[in-house]
Amino acid sequence: MTDRAGTPALESDLVDLDDLLRAYEGVAAADQPVVFGTSGHRGSSLDGAFTDTHIAAITQAIVEYRSAQGVEGPVFVGADTHALSAPAQVTCLEVLAANGVTALVDADAGWVPTPAVSRAIIRHNRALEHGTGAISGRRRDASAERRLGAREPRLADGIVITPSHNPPRDGGFKYNPPHGGPADSDATGWIAGRANEIIAGGNRDVKRSRAVTAEPYDFRGEYVTDLASVLDLGAIKASGLRLGADPLGGASVDYWKLIASHYGLPLEVTNPAVDPTWRFMTLDWDEKIRMDPSSPSAMASVVARRADFDILTGNDADADRHGIVTPDGGLMNPNHYLAVAIQYLCTHRDGWSAEAAIGKTLVSSTMIDRVVASLGRRLWEVPVGFKWFVPGLIDGSVAFGGEESAGASFLELDGSAWTTDKDGIILALLAAEIRAVTGKSPSVLYSELTEEFGDPAYARVDAAASPAQKARLGKLSGSDIRADKLAGDPIVDRLSSAPGNGAAIGGVKVVTEHAWFAARPSGTEDVYKIYAESFRGPDHLAEVQAEAKLIVDAALGS
C-alpha cells in the first residue's frame, strides 16, 4: 500500500477523456488481440486494446456464435458509466443492426447494471417457457409492435459493456448467453478466436450499418419492480433504519433512486454524481482510481460517513459487486459478509429447497464451510469465476453463489432464479434486511459466528513468476506438491480440481486442519496469486504465506 492510498484523487490522476475517446477510433494494436478473461474482453484504447476494431469484430463474432447455437431472439444490451462504454455501445448496435439482430436498449437512454441485463434475459426466457409472452418491459410504438408481433418470440441473450471496477481508462465487453450469466470458456474461446480472425482479415467480415434499429426496454422499471420477489422490502421499510447507498459513480445511481421512491425506503443516495474521470474517488492501494467497493482505500470516503447510517453500501461501476459498511465495524471483509448472508438466508427463506446447495469459490473463506455445515446444507465449492454457479442458480439446485471478491447472487423467495450473474444491488439491500429483521448489524453477526466457529485471518499476496512459470502453475496437479506439512500442520489435501464440480482450478490448493492456501497465475501480470487463510491468527497466516511460496516454487522447479 502506498502513501496516497485512500486519499482523494488529484487532477494529475485523471484520464484525458478526449485522448481516450480519440484513441477508441484508432487501429487495434497488433499485440493487443481479443482476450476473454473471467469477465469478457477488457483493455484501454490508449493501449490499442479496446478500439472500434475490437468491438466490431467481437460483436460480429457474437452474432455468428448465437446463430450457430440457434439463439434467434433479441439481444439485451446494457452499458455502464465508463467513458469507453458509450462509443462501444454505438459500435455494437451498428453491427447488430446490419446483421438483422434486434437489440433491446434502455428505454431512458440510461446506464444499465450487469444484474439488470441478467434479470432481463431470465425474465424474457422464463416467459417463453411458461407461454406467457415475452419482453413485457418494452416500451414500443405501433410500428415496433407490428414488426415484432409477426415473429414468434425466441430465446434472448445479452451483451454488457463494462470493465466492472477497472480504472476510468478501461473498457470492457462481455457476452451473456440465454441462461443470463457469464458465458463459459467454450463460448468465450470461440468468440475470441473468431474475433481475432476477423481483425486479422481487416474486419472485412464485419457487417455494419449506421442506421441503428434498437428497440427500447425498461431495464430499470422491471428490475426494481421485481425486487419484491427476492427481498423482504416490507421489513426494511418498517424498520426506520437510516440507509445510504453510494453508486461510486456507476450504473446503479438511478436504480437506487427508484428503489427508494418505489418502496418508500428511508434510503439516501449519498453521492449521485456521475463523472467518467471519477475525480471524486479516493485512490486504491496502488494509487489508481478503481471503483472497488470491497477495497478500504477505494471506499475511504464512504467509510468516513459510517456514523451517519445504520447501513451504508457501495457498488462498482456495473453494480455486480457490493461493499457493506456498518457504524460499528466499518467496511466489512467480503468473506465475512458472505458468511453472514448465507447464515441469515438459510434461516429466513422458507421457500428454498432444503436440498439446494450453497456455492462458493475455492479461494473463499473456510468460515463459509463451517457455517454451511452447521446449517445442514451441502457446500458446492467451484473454481474462481461466477460462471460456475450459473447452472445451479438457473435450475434452483444452488441457492446462493458467492466469491471472495464481493460478488454474489441468490434465489428468489420462492426458490426461483433471480439472476445468474453477480448482483451487488440485492446483496446491499440484503444487509438492510438483515439489520431490520435481526436488529443486529452484519458485522455484529459475524462476531457471533467467530465465537462459534473461530476467527480466521485471510489475505491475498502476489509472488513474481515468469510467463513460463505461470503456464506451468496453471497445469499443476495436486500430486506435484511434495510437501507433507504447512506451517507446522500435516497437509490433508492437495487439490488441482474443485471438490464441487471436478473442474480444473488452474492452479493448486493445499489444505490442513487449521489453514489453507491456493496459488493461481495472474492473467494480466507476471505474478501468481497466493490466497491463504488460517484459523490460528495473523502470525500463523504469515507462516502459511511464506511456506506457500516455497512449496509452489519447488513444484514449479524455480
Side-chain angles (χ1 to χ4, degrees):
M1 187 171 296
T2 66
D3 292 340
R4 294 185 61 215
T7 65
L10 303 176
E11 196 69 25
S12 58
D13 297 310
L14 308 183
V15 67
D16 186 312
L17 296 179
D18 290 337
D19 287 349
L20 187 71
L21 296 175
R22 189 163 41 246
Y24 176 78
E25 301 300 332
V27 179
D31 62 344
Q32 296 289 354
V34 173
V35 179
F36 270 72
T38 56
S39 296
H41 174 74
R42 295 183 185 179
S44 178
S45 61
L46 298 173
D47 303 322
F50 192 92
T51 65
D52 176 83
T53 302
H54 288 97
I55 302 310
I58 296 171
T59 306
Q60 184 65 44
I62 289 173
V63 168
E64 295 174 14
Y65 176 82
R66 71 193 302 268
S67 177
Q69 299 298 312
V71 181
E72 301 176 348
V75 179
F76 290 94
V77 180
D80 76 358
T81 54
H82 277 79
L84 289 173
S85 295
Q89 180 166 347
V90 172
T91 303
C92 170
L93 294 177
E94 290 179 353
V95 175
L96 293 176
N99 282 275
V101 177
T102 299
L104 299 178
V105 299
D106 189 70
D108 297 311
W111 306 289
V112 182
T114 286
V117 174
S118 180
R119 179 64 187 168
I121 296 169
I122 290 173
R123 204 174 194 278
H124 174 97
N125 294 338
R126 180 184 291 167
L128 295 184
E129 292 175 10
H130 296 166
T132 57
I135 339 179
S136 61
R138 304 177 61 171
R139 298 181 194 168
R140 301 181 298 197
D141 57 24
S143 62
E145 291 283 359
R146 287 193 295 272
R147 284 197 306 274
L148 293 153
R151 293 203 302 264
E152 180 182 350
R154 305 288 186 181
L155 285 176
D157 49 7
I159 291 171
V160 192
I161 304 169
T162 174
S164 190
H165 61 293
N166 276 31
R169 72 193 304 270
D170 287 353
F173 200 86
K174 62 181 182 178
Y175 173 62
N176 285 32
H179 55 54
D184 63 24
S185 54
D186 289 341
T188 57
W190 191 95
I191 292 168
R194 176 58 181 144
N196 286 321
E197 286 180 4
I198 292 171
I199 292 172
N203 271 27
R204 286 186 294 272
D205 289 346
V206 173
K207 297 178 182 179
R208 190 161 181 172
S209 171
R210 300 298 179 183
V212 173
T213 56
E215 300 290 343
Y217 180 85
D218 188 10
F219 282 100
R220 184 175 29 158
E222 297 294 337
Y223 177 90
V224 172
T225 299
D226 285 354
L227 281 172
S229 70
V230 73
L231 292 154
D232 186 352
L233 294 161
I236 300 174
K237 179 180 180 179
S239 68
L241 294 172
R242 299 167 300 158
L243 306 177
D246 192 328
L248 299 185
S252 66
V253 57
D254 292 332
Y255 284 65
W256 282 112
K257 293 175 184 176
L258 184 58
I259 289 167
S261 63
H262 185 81
Y263 292 103
L265 302 185
L267 186 150
E268 175 188 339
V269 180
T270 59
N271 177 21
V274 174
D275 178 345
T277 67
W278 271 278
R279 64 181 64 243
F280 47 77
M281 288 294 296
T282 51
L283 301 179
D284 206 358
W285 62 273
D286 56 358
E287 296 188 10
K288 291 183 179 181
I289 296 176
R290 189 180 286 112
M291 295 66 69
D292 182 356
S294 67
S295 165
S297 297
M299 287 279 283
S301 64
V302 181
V303 175
R305 294 198 60 189
R306 67 183 188 176
D308 298 336
F309 301 94
D310 295 299
I311 294 290
L312 178 58
T313 61
N315 293 118
D316 61 343
D318 69 322
D320 70 343
R321 298 189 185 207
H322 60 272
I324 310 301
V325 178
T326 67
D328 52 287
L331 178 65
M332 291 190 71
N333 179 294
N335 276 306
H336 298 181
Y337 180 59
L338 291 183
V340 170
I342 290 165
Q343 196 279 335
Y344 173 83
L345 287 167
C346 288
T347 54
H348 290 81
R349 291 296 187 268
D350 295 339
W352 287 7
S353 167
E355 304 303 315
I358 301 300
K360 73 159 207 173
T361 53
L362 56 75
V363 296
S364 300
S365 175
T366 300
M367 174 65 85
I368 294 172
D369 304 43
R370 298 184 179 188
V371 169
V372 172
S374 73
L375 295 166
R377 289 270 180 178
R378 178 169 60 91
L379 182 73
W380 201 55
E381 190 173 9
V382 299
V384 173
F386 203 80
K387 65 183 180 181
W388 300 108
F389 299 126
V390 171
L393 288 171
I394 201 69
D395 68 13
S397 62
V398 172
F400 180 101
E403 298 183 306
E404 52 78 34
S405 55
S409 190
F410 52 88
L411 298 180
E412 295 183 18
L413 298 169
D414 66 358
S416 302
W418 168 252
T419 60
T420 46
D421 213 326
K422 300 186 289 288
D423 190 337
I425 296 175
I426 65 165
L427 267 295
L429 285 167
L430 179 65
E433 180 187 329
I434 291 171
R435 176 69 175 79
V437 172
T438 68
K440 300 176 181 179
S441 76
S443 48
V444 167
L445 292 173
Y446 183 74
S447 296
E448 293 178 358
L449 291 180
T450 64
E451 292 175 5
E452 183 175 358
F453 301 114
D455 189 3
Y458 178 103
R460 195 200 93 184
V461 296
D462 294 340
S466 68
Q469 289 173 322
K470 291 199 302 177
R472 289 201 300 274
L473 174 56
K475 297 177 181 178
L476 276 186
S477 166
S479 60
D480 294 323
I481 301 299
R482 300 301 184 184
D484 56 9
K485 284 190 174 183
L486 173 64
D489 295 323
I491 292 173
V492 298
D493 219 344
R494 303 168 180 84
L495 304 172
S496 52
S497 59
N501 59 2
I505 65 178
V508 292
K509 182 175 182 178
V510 175
V511 184
T512 73
E513 181 182 355
H514 303 290
W516 60 268
F517 79 82
R520 299 178 62 252
S522 168
T524 57
E525 301 174 88
D526 287 336
V527 300
Y528 65 85
K529 304 173 184 179
I530 299 174
Y531 305 81
E533 183 175 50
S534 171
F535 276 79
R536 288 186 167 174
D539 291 342
H540 190 251
L541 173 64
E543 290 183 47
V544 171
Q545 292 170 319
E547 291 191 21
K549 186 178 185 307
L550 296 175
I551 290 171
V552 172
D553 286 349
L556 294 176
S558 301

